[in-house]
């Protein structure tokens, strides 16, 4: 039995309880209740194993209006065993949903890149589902820069 | 917005190649979070679905939320085993669908 | 050979030579160009009207502050700097907790963190390093009088200061300044940063790596196609750009790199955008006002056609020289409620972080304009960039065709000679 991460515990134990997960050193708090609910819906309440997902994001986004995001899931893409769906969430946005990506064996690779909007420094959470029912997850913090003169 | 989508993908490949496809469609992706000068919320209007098919079979689909930036850029891969036509479609909240095509010769 | 035969041969040779020229000039575009150069054609320009909307109205979604009480590049209005430090108001005490909030309040002209690291203030979240680190100012032996006056109006201690006159210019009142003084006195330990990226002295300077000429990377490139279509649009008198310029790729290989230029008929410097307005009006009866999408697209296109060409503007003619001298002076004028000059941010404190943004030096600041702005999803030309700088430091902008902007643009261009054009740029 793998050690449950705090996020997995939230997924299992989320029942209307607002859980603030520390995104970073206790200072960047994100209310991940909405994100946790989305994850629970996607996984059917099951736990997702950490790993197999590479998330590419700038360390500091030059602005929150368009941030390049690249996701690669290390998995075969055969008819019998392929990544079928990937959920992308941003836990600090007004609503966490970013995209749902549906892959097929014809995708060749489970990889995609998009450009996203971020309201503030926050975590991008990715959950991947395979045709065999396996679940993987990963997350990454992205800082959104703060403008110079106050605008 | 009647601007045409832009595509970048090869027109030739070898059988079994995994090619990279880049797409971009001009679109404001109005999030539904912004307010106008009078303080009224500007209604959401986004591209909510992108579909790529090859010779009629689904390759990749993306369901998009307002967190996708304006002028949505979508890059993904496709494995090609035969010649044929890629069909791309973008569906707007208002129901309109924009489409584009690209042929590829696979040796 | 007899003289007759030599002469005949000579004439024949001359005929061949002339025929050679005629063959070269078969391309009517090139022929027109050569003819124009030979005749020293004066390029048609409207000299009567304005090149932008009148009365000038600020862009939607820009701050609506009216800062007529403070200097602009066109007029002086700011109150004079005080000569002496003020005496601290009687019985005024500060609340450090309130001060901690005030120093991080971005709505008051950027917040102190735009320029200063200040210990834990604002969560030490991406502070700037334009100015000294104040994390240990509480140990520096400065008394309340000094700290108060430095915030209120630092010019009483340093006439050349970049520090805004927060009190004199009405950004903070005396109580608020005292609160901030009280907070500063609690700062006795170096700031603790969550990551290296938060520490402005460790943050690496940004390097632009994107392929700005790839239309899938840079939506600014779509303006090129738009302008190519505009090129063939007939104006009110039935003419289009194409009528006189049927081969823009060949004809405009270097033109934009020679702009902006002193225009004696208008007694001002014309940049590409204003040139477009006045030339289109004069030759086609077409209205492509500055700061419209059409004008910006055409400016992108005309610069794009000269990509790779090193900038080479006239700096030696009397008109140009005088304009550059004026432009340099304007770059030193303190403007706005924050009382800053171009040469403050892009000279004295260039190559530092202002909050999370890098302040660049003048060289390299013009060759990528007009540029796509990713934060705004639109194209900006250099005049809009000038306007925003003013508004952002709480000063009023001028109309984009203001002669002061022309002087400033030519001065900036003179500092960018040799920089190769790469337009449209892509920036935040």
């Amino acid at each position: 039995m793998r050690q449950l991460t705090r996020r997995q515990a939230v997924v299992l134990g989320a029942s209307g309880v607002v859980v603030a997960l520390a995104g970073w050193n206790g200072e960047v708090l994100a209310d991940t209740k909405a994100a946790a609910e989305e994850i629970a819906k996607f996984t059917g309440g099951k736990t997702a194993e950490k790993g197999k997902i590479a998330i590419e994001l700038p360390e500091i986004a030059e602005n929150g209006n368009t941030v390049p995001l690249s996701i690669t899931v290390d998995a075969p893409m055969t008819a019998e065993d392929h990544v079928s769906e990937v959920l992308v969430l941003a836990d600090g946005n007004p609503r966490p949903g970013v995209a749902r990506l549906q892959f097929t064996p014809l995708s060749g690779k489970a990889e995609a890149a998009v450009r996203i909007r971020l309201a503030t420094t926050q975590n991008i959470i990715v959950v991947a589902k395979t045709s065999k029912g396996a679940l993987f997850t990963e997350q990454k913090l992205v800082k959104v820069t703060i403008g110079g003169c106050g605008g | 917005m009647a601007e045409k989508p832009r595509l970048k993908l090869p027109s030739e490949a070898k059988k079994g190649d995994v090619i990279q496809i880049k797409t971009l469609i001009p679109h404001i992706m109005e999030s539904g979070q912004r307010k106008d000068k009078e303080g009224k919320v500007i209604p959401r209007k986004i591209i909510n679905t992108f579909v790529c098919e090859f010779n009629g079979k689904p390759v990749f689909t993306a369901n998009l939320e307002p967190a996708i930036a304006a002028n949505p850029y979508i890059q993904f891969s496709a494995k090609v085993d035969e010649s044929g036509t890629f069909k791309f479609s973008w569906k707007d909240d208002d129901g309109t669908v924009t489409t584009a095509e690209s042929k590829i010769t696979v040796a | 050979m007899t003289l007759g035969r030599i002469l005949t041969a000579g004439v024949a040779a001359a005929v061949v030579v002339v025929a050679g020229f005629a063959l070269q000039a078969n391309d009517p575009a090139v022929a027109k160009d050569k003819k124009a150069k030979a005749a020293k054609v004066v390029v048609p320009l409207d000299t009567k009207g304005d090149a932008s909307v009148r009365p000038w109205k600020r862009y939607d979604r820009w701050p609506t502050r009216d800062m007529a009480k403070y200097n602009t590049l066109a007029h002086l209005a700011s109150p004079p700097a005080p000569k002496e430090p003020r005496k601290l108001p009687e019985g005024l005490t500060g609340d450090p907790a309130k001060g901690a909030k005030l120093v991080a309040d971005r709505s008051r002209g950027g917040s102190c963190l735009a320029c200063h690291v200040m210990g834990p203030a604002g969560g030490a979240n991406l502070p700037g390093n334009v100015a000294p680190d104040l994390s240990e100012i509480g140990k520096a032996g400065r008394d309340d009088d000094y700290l108060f006056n430095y915030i209120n109006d630092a010019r009483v201690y340093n006439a050349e200061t970049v520090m805004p006159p927060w009190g004199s210019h009405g950004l903070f009142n005396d109580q608020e300044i005292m609160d901030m003084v009280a907070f500063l006195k609690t700062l006795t330990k170096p700031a603790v940063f969550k990551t290296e990226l938060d520490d402005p002295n460790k943050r690496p300077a940004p390097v632009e790596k994107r392929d700005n000429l790839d239309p899938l990377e840079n939506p600014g490139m779509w303006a090129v196609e738009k302008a190519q279509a505009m090129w063939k649009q007939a104006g009110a008198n039935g003419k289009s750009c194409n009528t006189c310029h049927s081969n823009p790729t060949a004809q405009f290989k270097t033109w934009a790199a020679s702009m902006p230029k002193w225009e004696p008929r208008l007694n001002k410097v014309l940049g590409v955008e204003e040139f477009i307005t006045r030339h289109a009006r004069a030759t086609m009866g077409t209205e492509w006002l500055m700061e419209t999408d059409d004008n910006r697209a055409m400016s992108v296109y005309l610069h794009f056609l000269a990509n790779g060409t090193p900038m080479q503007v006239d700096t030696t003619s009397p008109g140009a020289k005088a304009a550059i001298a004026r432009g340099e002076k304007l770059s030193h004028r303190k403007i706005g409620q924050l009382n800053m000059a171009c040469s403050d941010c892009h000279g004295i404190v260039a190559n530092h972080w202002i909050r999370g943004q890098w302040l660049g030096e003048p060289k390299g600041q013009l060759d990528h304009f007009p540029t796509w702005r990713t934060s705004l999803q639109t194209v900006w030309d250099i005049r809009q960039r000038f306007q925003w700088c003013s508004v952002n430091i709480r000063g009023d902008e001028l109309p984009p065709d203001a002669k002061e902007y022309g002087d400033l643009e030519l001065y900036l261009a003179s500092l960018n000679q040799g920089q190769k054009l790469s337009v449209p740029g892509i920036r935040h």
Side-chain angles (χ1 to χ4, degrees):
Chain A
M1 176 71 161
R2 280 173 240 101
Q3 184 84 337
L4 286 181
T5 66
R6 276 206 272 164
R7 184 173 49 259
Q8 289 164 347
V10 165
V11 166
L12 290 180
S15 40
V17 173
V18 177
V19 177
L21 280 181
W24 220 72
N25 209 19
E27 277 289 87
V28 177
L29 292 175
D31 174 6
T32 55
K33 174 171 180 260
E37 282 174 359
E38 288 294 320
I39 296 170
K41 267 195 275 179
F42 184 72
T43 64
K46 299 206 214 86
T47 48
E49 184 185 329
K50 188 158 152 51
K52 296 237 186 258
I53 301 174
I55 303 175
E56 247 184 76
L57 279 162
E59 278 188 302
I60 304 186
E62 65 180 14
N63 62 72
N65 211 26
T66 175
V67 183
L69 166 66
S70 216
I71 294 163
T72 310
V73 185
D74 176 19
M77 293 300 281
T78 62
E80 305 76 43
D81 187 9
H82 57 271
V83 175
S84 54
E85 201 173 359
V86 172
L87 178 71
V88 184
L89 301 174
D91 69 6
N93 272 353
R95 281 201 282 269
V98 175
R100 274 174 181 253
L101 311 172
Q102 287 157 41
F103 297 92
T104 69
L106 281 181
S107 305
K109 287 193 202 143
E111 65 178 18
V114 289
R115 294 175 190 146
I116 65 177
R117 288 178 176 135
L118 297 173
T120 181
T121 293
Q122 61 189 290
N123 300 296
I124 300 300
I125 304 170
V126 178
V127 188
K129 196 186 278 185
T130 74
S131 56
K132 287 191 152 158
L135 290 162
F136 303 105
T137 186
E138 191 55 85
Q139 76 171 38
K140 194 164 194 178
L141 178 79
V142 52
K143 268 186 100 68
V144 177
T145 205
I146 301 175
C149 305
Chain B
M1 283 227 100
E3 292 214 51
K4 61 173 219 275
R6 281 135 209 286
L7 309 169
K8 197 178 206 178
L9 67 159
S11 52
E12 287 173 357
K14 294 201 300 288
K15 188 170 148 78
D17 276 354
V18 176
I19 62 167
Q20 193 179 70
I21 300 178
K22 296 183 182 183
T23 72
L24 192 155
I25 185 166
H27 195 284
I28 193 174
M29 296 296 276
E30 190 60 68
S31 65
Q33 300 280 335
R34 292 202 308 170
K35 295 205 171 87
D36 64 17
K37 275 182 280 195
E38 284 85 52
K40 282 202 341 260
V41 169
I42 304 170
R44 168 188 145 147
K45 187 175 187 302
I46 68 167
I47 299 283
N48 59 51
T49 313
F50 167 80
V51 179
C52 170
E53 287 179 348
F54 184 68
N55 289 345
K57 288 178 267 180
V59 174
F60 172 78
T61 301
N63 299 111
L64 310 177
E65 301 283 347
I68 296 293
N71 302 317
Y73 173 79
I74 302 173
Q75 176 189 310
F76 56 100
S77 301
K79 183 155 190 256
V80 285
D81 284 320
E82 54 182 0
S83 300
T85 306
F86 281 102
K87 287 207 170 126
F88 309 95
S89 66
W90 294 259
K91 183 158 145 253
D92 191 308
D93 278 344
D94 68 12
T96 56
V97 179
T98 307
T99 58
E101 274 188 17
S102 185
K103 292 193 163 57
I104 188 166
T105 308
V106 177
Chain C
M1 275 198 254
T2 67
L3 193 59
R5 288 221 185 105
I6 290 167
L7 280 173
T8 314
V11 164
V15 165
V16 166
V17 166
V18 165
F21 273 126
L23 281 170
Q24 232 190 324
N26 248 358
D27 180 346
V30 176
K32 272 207 179 96
D33 246 19
K34 285 197 161 153
K35 195 178 166 191
K37 281 187 188 136
K40 275 207 194 284
V41 164
V42 172
V43 174
L45 286 176
D46 165 58
T47 54
K48 297 200 182 65
D50 294 307
S52 67
V53 144
R54 291 289 187 279
W56 173 251
K57 193 178 144 297
R58 189 171 293 172
Y59 307 98
D60 279 347
R61 294 185 181 272
W62 281 30
T64 51
R65 300 180 284 251
D66 170 13
M67 293 277 124
K69 288 190 299 185
Y70 301 101
N71 290 352
T72 69
L73 288 179
H75 75 275
L76 297 171
S78 295
K83 293 202 176 41
E84 295 290 326
R86 284 176 52 200
K87 272 179 95 73
L88 264 189
E90 279 282 337
L92 193 64
T93 57
D95 175 353
K98 289 200 178 128
K101 288 209 182 85
L102 287 166
V103 302
D105 185 349
R106 281 187 78 225
S107 71
R108 308 288 201 102
S111 93
C112 310
L113 296 176
C115 300
H116 293 280
V117 175
M118 260 189 187
N125 187 4
L126 286 170
N129 63 350
V130 158
D133 185 334
L134 300 177
S135 303
E136 294 174 272
I137 187 90
K139 293 194 300 197
R142 296 294 193 184
D143 61 18
D144 288 9
D145 266 67
Y146 178 85
L147 293 173
F148 180 92
N149 274 293
Y150 216 98
I151 298 173
N152 180 65
D153 199 321
R155 291 175 292 183
V156 301
Y157 298 127
N158 172 11
E160 309 302 317
T161 188
V162 178
M163 173 94 157
W166 300 102
S168 296
H169 277 200
L171 285 138
F172 292 105
N173 62 37
D174 287 353
Q175 179 60 65
E176 289 170 326
I177 296 178
M178 211 55 211
D179 291 336
M180 290 190 280
V181 168
F183 172 69
L184 287 176
K185 282 162 62 179
T186 68
L187 297 181
T188 56
K189 286 192 290 242
V192 174
F193 297 107
K194 294 183 217 121
T195 55
E196 274 208 355
L197 294 174
D198 278 302
D199 181 349
N201 296 316
K202 299 225 176 84
R203 214 181 296 155
V207 177
E208 183 51 64
K209 291 198 200 115
R210 289 172 284 203
D211 181 358
N212 59 307
L213 301 181
D214 176 1
L216 278 122
E217 179 70 67
N218 185 358
M221 277 298 290
W222 310 340
V224 171
E225 286 171 26
K226 181 182 161 107
Q228 283 168 331
M230 286 163 64
W231 200 260
K232 307 206 173 97
Q233 271 166 30
N237 63 9
K239 293 206 200 129
S240 70
C241 310
N242 204 57
T243 310
C244 298
H245 307 289
S246 58
N247 188 359
T249 310
Q251 292 166 308
F252 290 93
K253 261 201 152 57
T254 60
W255 179 73
S258 69
M259 296 295 278
K261 195 182 272 187
W262 175 254
E263 176 48 66
R265 287 170 287 170
L266 285 151
N267 212 35
K268 69 195 291 203
V269 172
L270 281 198
V272 169
E273 296 81 25
E274 186 169 0
F275 182 95
I276 290 167
T277 308
R278 296 185 179 283
H279 186 62
R281 197 182 276 160
T283 57
M284 306 181 291
T286 298
E287 277 294 283
W288 283 333
L289 284 180
M290 288 175 80
E291 304 309 345
T292 58
D293 285 343
D294 282 347
N295 183 294
R296 283 187 283 246
M298 190 55 71
S299 177
V300 166
Y301 181 52
L302 288 167
H303 282 94
F304 170 81
L305 290 172
N307 271 352
T309 307
M311 288 175 59
Q312 210 63 47
V313 298
D314 166 33
T315 57
T316 53
S317 68
K321 263 183 138 154
I324 291 172
R326 284 192 303 269
E328 181 170 8
K329 265 191 89 181
L330 285 172
S331 79
H332 291 291
R333 179 184 293 183
K334 301 276 199 181
I335 62 174
Q337 192 180 23
L338 295 186
N339 206 56
M340 288 171 168
C342 313
S343 59
D344 286 344
C345 293
H346 298 291
I348 301 175
V349 299
N351 299 317
H352 286 86
W353 290 99
I354 186 136
R355 203 64 197 260
Q357 292 174 335
W358 184 251
L359 286 173
E361 35 182 81
K363 200 171 180 78
Q365 285 192 334
L366 199 51
D367 49 24
H368 58 278
F369 271 90
T371 184
W372 180 255
R373 296 278 328 258
T374 60
S375 57
L376 303 167
Q377 294 291 301
T378 187
V379 169
W380 270 24
D381 59 35
I382 190 66
R383 299 296 172 98
Q384 191 165 11
R385 179 68 253 182
F386 288 163
Q387 291 175 311
W388 177 247
C389 282
S390 300
V391 171
N392 213 17
I393 58 175
R394 297 171 164 246
D396 282 340
E397 82 281 27
L398 311 176
D401 46 333
K403 61 176 166 30
E404 291 83 0
Y405 285 156
D407 290 342
L408 196 58
E409 189 183 336
L410 186 58
Y411 171 58
L412 186 57
S414 73
L415 300 175
N416 276 274
Q417 300 279 56
Q419 292 288 116
K420 294 190 179 153
L421 289 181
S422 184
V423 176
I426 180 165
R427 294 287 191 277
H428 74 92

